[in-house]
Amino acid sequence: MGVKLVSIIFIIAIFTGMQTVQAAVKIYTFTDTTNNKAYYNDSSQLPSLPSPEPFGNGTEFGSSGYTQIEANDNSYATTDSAGVGASQYGLSQHNFKFKIDVDITNITLINITYGGYFTATNNDSNKVEIKTDTTNETMTNLTRTDANYTKSITSNFANYLDSDNYLHVRAYVIAHNDGLILITLATDYIEVLVVYNTTPRLINVT
């Protein structure tokens, strides 16, 4: 389904009088490609150092690409570009957006986990970034070895969601290579975990 509602409900506080506050968890993945979307960008032989593409831009992944990024299983969606010589650059990029269907005022934690790597001879810039209202927040720098990275957001949640309640993430590598050597971005998976308070309920205390 793309969103997993963890069935265990945690009682996180009991108030004298009878009221409890409960926390639940939703996990967003690319098993749901109706509400969550992924895009790729590949630009080669650029004459100057490029900037990454804006969040949300690009060509949408096909069904096989979505399958490759829906789980942490060492199956990769790859995007290649090329920069020939020191004066030409390539950009390989993946953009992701997740529809968060939880009331922002109830959210207490957002965890973003990304797994992947890049290959390039001469790397100029490689990052995983999260879009915010004011800037692009760096989650991590990628490496040439497959690894998993997690970013925890614990406050100011409205800054991370757009007007349609999408959370945006992008991963990219910009490089120039000696000779025609591919610049590859490989994404294994990405998921967003949201912890939120449910509506308090009354319990009878006798």
Side-chain angles (χ1 to χ4, degrees), residues 34-161:
T34 299
N35 296 300
N36 309 318
K37 297 293 183 181
Y39 307 90
Y40 67 88
N41 297 270
D42 55 339
S43 299
S44 297
Q45 296 180 270
L46 302 172
S48 59
L49 185 68
S51 298
E53 288 290 325
F55 291 90
N57 279 16
T59 302
E60 186 175 358
F61 277 36
S63 58
S64 62
Y66 277 125
T67 299
Q68 289 165 328
I69 65 172
E70 69 182 19
N72 184 9
D73 57 3
N74 296 319
S75 173
Y76 302 93
T78 60
T79 297
D80 299 322
S81 61
V84 183
S87 62
Q88 292 188 334
Y89 298 83
L91 165 67
S92 300
Q93 181 171 332
H94 293 163
N95 288 336
F96 313 100
K97 66 177 187 178
F98 296 88
K99 182 75 169 183
I100 307 302
D101 58 347
V102 173
D103 188 330
I104 292 176
T105 60
N106 292 331
I107 295 175
T108 59
L109 174 69
I110 298 176
N111 270 356
I112 303 166
T113 301
Y114 174 88
Y117 68 94
F118 78 92
T119 60
T121 305
N122 300 304
N123 171 56
D124 294 287
S125 180
N126 63 88
K127 290 182 179 180
V128 180
E129 294 180 327
I130 307 164
K131 183 180 180 181
T132 73
D133 280 350
T134 57
T135 187
N136 303 326
E137 185 172 313
T138 299
M139 178 173 163
T140 187
N141 291 319
L142 292 169
T143 71
R144 291 178 173 85
T145 302
D146 185 25
N148 295 331
Y149 309 93
T150 297
K151 168 70 175 181
S152 295
I153 301 167
T154 58
S155 62
N156 300 317
F157 303 107
N159 293 343
Y160 293 88
L161 304 182

Side-chain angles (χ1 to χ4, degrees), residues 3-29:
V3 177
K4 293 183 280 187
L5 177 59
V6 177
S7 59
I8 299 175
I9 301 296
F10 303 94
I11 298 177
I12 61 174
I14 298 179
F15 296 96
T16 306
M18 338 209 312
Q19 199 172 57
T20 68
V21 177
Q22 297 174 331
V25 176
K26 280 191 175 183
I27 299 175
Y28 300 83
T29 71

